[in-house]
């Protein structure tokens, strides 16, 4: 490994990271980008190079070896880079200046290089209004050919981005395209306009960890976008111990309605908290996804405020929520028509893409709760658009909070259906009824050890054999044995 210090290769390091001016004179700072690019150009597998950024540098883009084997290590958030006005590019990417053009090349994905590490510095992207700042193209985000990112890494395995602060980025803070074995840990991302995704991942991609990060973004904090970039499947993504104030915690989509149709599997989110304008999870955006295209998503030990936890517009396989506290908060949502209602729920049609139908194989809730504020209309789930959930299980669920008016129903079923509802454990104290009026006609069967304890009445026709319940026909505890309704004698 070769180590070089920016101060020892002729870099002026005279930039104020707050405004891009010369920190000594207040005039123009020196562009240190060309010197850094030249010093790092020789990085190879046989000669990996680490740049120690021991000051604050103005840069017109760092374009480092496409195949990897390089690192940048700072000495804290007071060191790092400010993107000069009119750069029209990413702050840092691998490959030549035009490496990210076109932004979405489509398949096939190239072979991957490896071993890139970025740590312990700041990137100020010099976001402007499209006529000043990094981009002067007329668009703040970039051009029709490419968005301008803070860190844009392509075609690489073994990436580490740790303790990097990214602010005022033109578009995505971190974009990862055709990558594997990537870690984004302890980073801060703060830019507040549409298009300011936090960690934006394009397919194909695999084995990604995002941990202990703070997101304040105007768009998705984490985006799993299979059809973008070279396009492909995304597998094994873990997000943990992060805080958020964003449009969404995560967007997941496998098709944009065109011929590219992929899958996302083994996604887990745990021990996170945040506030979201549209949804905690924006799942899908167009019709036409494969069956079970979002194959598996697990969310555990999270506390979120949003119009919905799961804004669904795509087919899914298994979604499991454990120890999730939901604070319904619709005040900042943009509801894109058509929407049948604006009710908050753990699951509902996507506020942005609410016209899309979907099929879900399995959705489960374990020790989850809605903490309701006065005046906010809620349901556990809202099902519309001829959508279907095959199996829905509650193993600990309830409505809490400061409203004297109970939720009208657990399941608000408009135009949709549920194959099997399993009520193993559910606190019905603040929920009037299990389904909205006429909703049982859209439920295949009801079962579970906790049905009778709800004190709700159920039509005989929907009850599974061997499950005690209160019959809507007789008003009495009942049980079906071989399809025949009998009185249930409680011991």
């Amino acid at each position: 490994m070769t180590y070089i210090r920016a101060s020892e290769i002729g870099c002026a390091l005279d930039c104020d990271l707050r405004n891009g001016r010369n920190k000594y004179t207040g005039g123009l700072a020196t562009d240190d980008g060309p010197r850094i690019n030249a010093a790092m150009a020789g990085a190879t597998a046989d000669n990996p190079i680490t740049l120690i950024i021991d000051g604050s540098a103005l840069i017109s883009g760092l374009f480092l070896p496409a195949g990897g084997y390089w690192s940048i290590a700072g000495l804290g958030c007071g060191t790092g880079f400010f993107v000069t006005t009119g750069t029209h590019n990413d702050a840092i990417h691998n490959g030549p200046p035009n490496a990210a053009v076109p932004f979405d090349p489509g398949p096939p994905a190239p072979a991957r290089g490896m071993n890139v590490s970025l740590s312990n510095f700041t990137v100020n992207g010099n976001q402007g209004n499209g006529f000043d700042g990094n981009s002067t193209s007329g668009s703040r985000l970039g051009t029709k050919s490419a968005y301008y990112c803070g860190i844009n890494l392509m075609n690489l395995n073994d990436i580490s981005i740790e303790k990097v602060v990214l602010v005022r980025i033109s578009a995505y803070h971190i974009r990862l395209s055709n990558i594997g074995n990537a870690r984004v840990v302890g980073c801060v991302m703060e830019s507040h306009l549409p298009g300011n995704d936090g960690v934006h991942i394009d397919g194909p991609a695999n084995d990604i960890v995002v941990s202990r990060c703070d997101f304040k973004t105007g768009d998705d904090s984490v985006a799993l976008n299979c059809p973008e970039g070279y396009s492909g499947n995304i597998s094994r993504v873990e997000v943990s111990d992060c805080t958020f104030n964003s449009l969404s915690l995560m967007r997941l989509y496998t098709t944009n309605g065109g011929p590219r149709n992929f899958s996302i599997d083994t996604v887990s989110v745990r021990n996170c908290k945040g506030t979201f304008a549209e949804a905690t999870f924006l799942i899908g955006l167009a019709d036409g996804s494969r069956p079970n295209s979002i194959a598996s998503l697990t969310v555990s030990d999270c506390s979120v405020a949003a119009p919905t936890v799961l804004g669904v517009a795509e087919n899914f396989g298994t979604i499991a929520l454990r120890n999730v506290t939901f604070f319904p908060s619709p005040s900042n949502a943009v509801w894109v028509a058509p929407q049948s209602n604006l009710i908050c729920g753990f699951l509902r049609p996507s506020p942005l893409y609410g016209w899309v139908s979907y099929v879900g194989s399995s959705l489960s809730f374990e020790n989850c709760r809605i903490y309701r504020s006065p005046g906010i209309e809620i349901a556990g789930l809202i099902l519309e658009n001829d959508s279907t959930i095959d199996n829905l299980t509650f193993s600990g669920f309830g409505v809490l909070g400061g409203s004297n008016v109970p939720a009208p129903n657990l399941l608000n079923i408009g135009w949709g259906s549920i194959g099997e509802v399993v009520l193993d454990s559910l606190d019905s104290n603040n929920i009037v009824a299990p389904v909205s009026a006429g909703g049982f006609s859209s439920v295949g069967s009801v079962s579970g050890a906790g049905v009778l304890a709800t004190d709700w009445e159920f039509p005989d026709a929907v009850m599974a054999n061997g499950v005690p319940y209160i019959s809507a026909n007789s008003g009495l505890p009942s049980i079906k044995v071989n399809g025949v309704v009998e009185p249930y004698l409680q011991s």
Side-chain angles (χ1 to χ4, degrees):
M1 175 73 73
T2 299
Y3 293 89
I4 58 175
R5 285 182 171 267
S7 60
E8 294 174 353
I9 59 171
C11 291
L13 303 177
D14 59 2
C15 179
D16 187 329
L17 292 180
R18 297 170 298 178
N19 55 31
R21 306 295 295 176
N22 188 301
K23 61 186 177 183
Y24 304 113
T25 68
L28 297 177
T30 306
D31 181 3
D32 289 325
R35 286 186 181 273
I36 294 173
N37 290 334
M40 299 290 283
T44 64
D46 295 328
N47 181 38
I49 298 176
T50 294
L51 171 73
I52 309 298
I53 180 67
D54 52 346
S56 48
L58 184 71
I59 56 168
S60 51
L62 299 185
F63 313 122
L64 306 178
Y69 299 99
W70 51 266
S71 302
I72 300 175
L75 304 180
C77 61
T79 60
F81 309 99
F82 186 101
V83 181
T84 191
T85 297
T87 290
H88 296 286
N89 220 313
D90 306 317
I92 301 169
H93 76 222
N94 60 313
N98 65 348
V101 180
F103 209 59
D104 296 313
R112 295 175 181 175
M114 62 190 305
N115 292 348
V116 166
S117 174
L118 305 170
S119 62
N120 212 26
F121 60 84
T122 291
V123 176
N124 187 326
N126 191 15
Q127 181 190 89
N129 60 14
F131 299 95
D132 57 13
N134 177 13
S135 175
T136 57
S137 67
S139 169
R140 165 187 58 83
L141 293 166
T143 68
K144 292 181 179 179
S145 300
Y147 280 4
Y148 303 151
C149 303
I151 296 170
N152 188 358
L153 299 178
M154 302 155 275
N155 314 318
L156 291 169
N157 286 323
D158 302 322
I159 296 166
S160 177
I161 304 172
E162 187 167 1
K163 295 182 181 178
V164 176
V165 176
L166 298 109
V167 296
R168 295 181 58 206
I169 306 301
S170 295
Y172 308 149
H173 293 78
I174 298 171
R175 186 219 192 195
L176 305 174
S177 182
N178 183 30
I179 57 89
N181 302 306
R183 298 172 63 256
V184 181
V185 178
C187 294
V188 175
M189 285 156 267
E190 185 169 355
S191 306
H192 299 285
L193 296 175
N196 283 142
D197 285 3
V199 180
H200 181 106
I201 300 166
D202 294 338
N206 60 277
D207 301 287
I208 298 141
V209 171
V210 179
S211 181
R212 303 196 306 275
C213 293
D214 181 41
F215 296 88
K216 294 182 177 68
T217 64
D219 219 306
D220 309 309
S221 292
V222 179
L224 308 182
N225 298 342
C226 291
E228 299 183 16
Y230 291 97
S231 68
N233 299 332
I234 297 176
S235 300
R236 298 179 297 280
V237 179
E238 178 183 311
V239 178
S240 65
D241 304 292
C242 295
T243 57
F244 304 86
N245 190 339
S246 304
L247 181 88
S248 76
L249 188 157
M250 183 180 290
R251 181 189 298 267
L252 309 90
Y253 85 96
T254 68
T255 181
N256 53 15
R260 299 179 186 177
N261 196 316
F262 303 99
S263 66
I264 296 172
D265 72 86
T266 320
V267 178
S268 68
V269 177
R270 60 180 174 81
N271 198 31
C272 291
K273 61 182 179 180
T275 299
F276 308 100
E278 291 296 332
T280 308
F281 297 89
L282 284 167
I283 299 176
L285 52 78
D287 281 312
S289 60
R290 295 175 180 175
N292 301 324
S293 59
I294 308 297
S296 56
L297 168 65
T298 301
V299 185
S300 58
D301 303 302
C302 292
S303 176
V304 300
T308 181
V309 178
L310 304 170
V312 184
E314 180 161 334
N315 299 329
F316 63 85
T318 299
I319 298 179
L321 293 91
R322 304 185 186 112
N323 301 316
V324 176
T325 301
F326 171 40
F327 296 85
S329 177
S331 58
N332 294 317
V334 176
W335 301 94
V336 177
Q339 297 281 348
S340 59
N341 61 63
L342 307 184
I343 299 173
C344 292
F346 254 101
L347 174 146
R348 62 153 293 122
S350 170
L352 295 178
Y353 315 104
W355 59 91
V356 178
S357 63
Y358 62 86
V359 175
S361 294
S362 175
L363 174 63
S364 64
F365 297 87
E366 180 180 342
N367 298 325
C368 294
R369 62 205 64 83
I370 299 175
Y371 202 97
R372 185 184 184 193
S373 296
I376 295 179
E377 191 175 3
I378 66 163
L381 283 76
I382 299 100
L383 201 61
E384 292 286 355
N385 308 319
D386 199 23
S387 296
T388 298
I389 298 174
D390 293 335
N391 182 277
L392 174 61
T393 301
F394 296 91
S395 300
F397 188 92
V399 175
L400 309 172
S403 176
N404 293 324
V405 180
N409 42 68
L410 174 67
L411 308 177
N412 185 313
I413 304 176
W415 185 29
S417 63
I418 300 173
E420 180 181 15
V421 178
V422 181
L423 302 177
D424 282 331
S425 175
L426 187 143
D427 182 352
S428 62
N429 285 330
N430 291 311
I431 308 172
V432 174
V435 299
S436 51
F440 277 120
S441 64
S442 300
V443 175
S445 68
V446 176
S447 63
V451 174
L452 184 63
T454 65
D455 286 329
W456 288 330
E457 295 186 350
F458 294 85
D460 297 333
V462 304
M463 292 307 304
N465 283 316
V467 178
Y469 69 101
I470 297 176
S471 170
N473 295 346
S474 66
L476 299 174
S478 304
I479 191 168
K480 287 171 72 174
V481 179
N482 296 323
V484 178
V485 179
E486 299 181 358
Y488 177 69
L489 302 178
Q490 302 182 61
S491 59

